[in-house]
Amino acid sequence: MDYNEIVEHYEKCFEKFGDTPQGVDWTKEEQVEYRYQVMLELINFREKSFYITQKKSLLDYGCGLSHLYEYIEKNNIDFIDYTGLEISSKFFNKSKQKFPENKYILGDILKDKNILVDRYDYIVMNGVFTEKRNLSYESMFDYFEQMIISVYQYCNKGIAFNVMSKQVDWEIDTLFHVPLDDMANFLTKKISRNFIIRNDYGLYEYTVYLYK
């Protein structure tokens, strides 16, 4: 299962476009903040409040260029204790350079089960499963399953992740379009029935909140 091809794709985007949304392969800059908002609302849904006062630890798994952290800072969201994790040393080094005060982790949880020593209240995986490049759907789904099962163990309250929708005008072969039935069957049979599917923010994708 050569998911390194996905990592290499993102690194090429970074080399070409630099520290921009295009540098992590978001082609429409005006859409990226919708994703950050939806990712962070994982916390609000669980806490049943939009006025959270106590700090919540959050792991940004696949943090890229730490654009989610920039969104947190820009919007004065003060209840998040942020940690970023990256599989790519190029993104890891750039994030460390930008925000040396933050905690960052470099590694691949499927190759090193010990890279996460802490547990986090919440874990978000924004854009980790939207690309599949030349992997078959079956290979990508297998990778996706392994990742979700592994990462879910390290959250105290819940995780969020997004995939491309099948309810689109057309599909792109290099993207990971997941039928809702496939998603629901995987979650209910292998992890939990305690999940929410967000398909309400106007993009050709959906976000899953998977809670403990």
Side-chain angles (χ1 to χ4, degrees), residues 133-145:
R133 306 313 299 164
N134 292 314
L135 270 67
S136 68
Y137 175 80
E138 292 74 19
S139 294
M140 183 64 194
F141 201 90
D142 183 43
Y143 166 62
F144 160 73
E145 283 192 346

Side-chain angles (χ1 to χ4, degrees), residues 19-33:
D19 188 1
T20 65
Q22 292 81 7
V24 288
D25 203 25
W26 294 129
T27 56
K28 296 181 179 180
E29 188 169 349
E30 68 276 9
Q31 296 180 349
V32 295
E33 292 201 352

Side-chain angles (χ1 to χ4, degrees), residues 160-204:
F161 55 87
N162 48 1
V163 297
M164 302 306 296
S165 174
K166 292 287 284 188
Q167 281 65 51
V168 294
D169 297 329
W170 66 84
E171 294 185 23
I172 299 174
D173 289 341
T174 56
L175 300 183
F176 187 43
H177 295 268
V178 183
L180 293 170
D181 280 354
D182 286 1
M183 180 63 68
N185 287 336
F186 159 58
L187 295 177
T188 55
K189 291 177 180 178
K190 296 189 177 181
I191 304 185
S192 172
R193 292 180 175 274
N194 192 10
F195 63 88
I196 294 170
I197 293 179
R198 292 280 308 266
N199 194 45
D200 63 338
Y201 53 104
L203 305 184
Y204 294 120

Side-chain angles (χ1 to χ4, degrees), residues 3-12 86-88 91:
Y3 54 87
N4 286 327
E5 179 185 348
I6 300 171
V7 180
E8 291 167 2
H9 166 73
Y10 282 107
E11 290 180 340
K12 289 176 182 176
E86 250 306 321
I87 189 174
S88 164
F91 288 114

Side-chain angles (χ1 to χ4, degrees), residues 98-163:
K98 289 170 65 176
F99 302 109
E101 73 281 4
N102 283 351
K103 181 179 179 181
Y104 289 100
I105 301 166
L106 176 64
D108 179 352
I109 197 171
L110 296 186
K111 293 180 179 177
D112 181 4
K113 302 295 183 183
N114 298 316
I115 62 165
L116 291 180
V117 296
D118 298 318
R119 293 173 64 89
Y120 302 86
D121 291 325
Y122 297 97
I123 301 175
V124 299
M125 308 174 78
N126 182 31
V128 175
F129 306 116
T130 50
E131 293 271 358
K132 71 176 184 64
R133 306 313 299 164
N134 292 314
L135 270 67
S136 68
Y137 175 80
E138 292 74 19
S139 294
M140 183 64 194
F141 201 90
D142 183 43
Y143 166 62
F144 160 73
E145 283 192 346
Q146 290 185 49
M147 285 285 287
I148 295 300
I149 290 169
S150 297
V151 170
Y152 184 67
Q153 301 174 61
Y154 292 93
C155 79
N156 293 322
K157 297 188 176 185
I159 68 174
F161 55 87
N162 48 1
V163 297

Side-chain angles (χ1 to χ4, degrees), residues 14 17 43 50 65 68 74 96 104 107 117 125 136 142 150-151 194 203 206-207 209:
F14 178 41
F17 297 107
I43 303 172
F50 283 83
L65 298 165
L68 176 62
K74 173 184 172 183
K96 286 282 286 183
Y104 289 100
V117 296
M125 308 174 78
S136 68
D142 183 43
S150 297
V151 170
N194 192 10
L203 305 184
Y206 60 89
T207 294
Y209 298 164

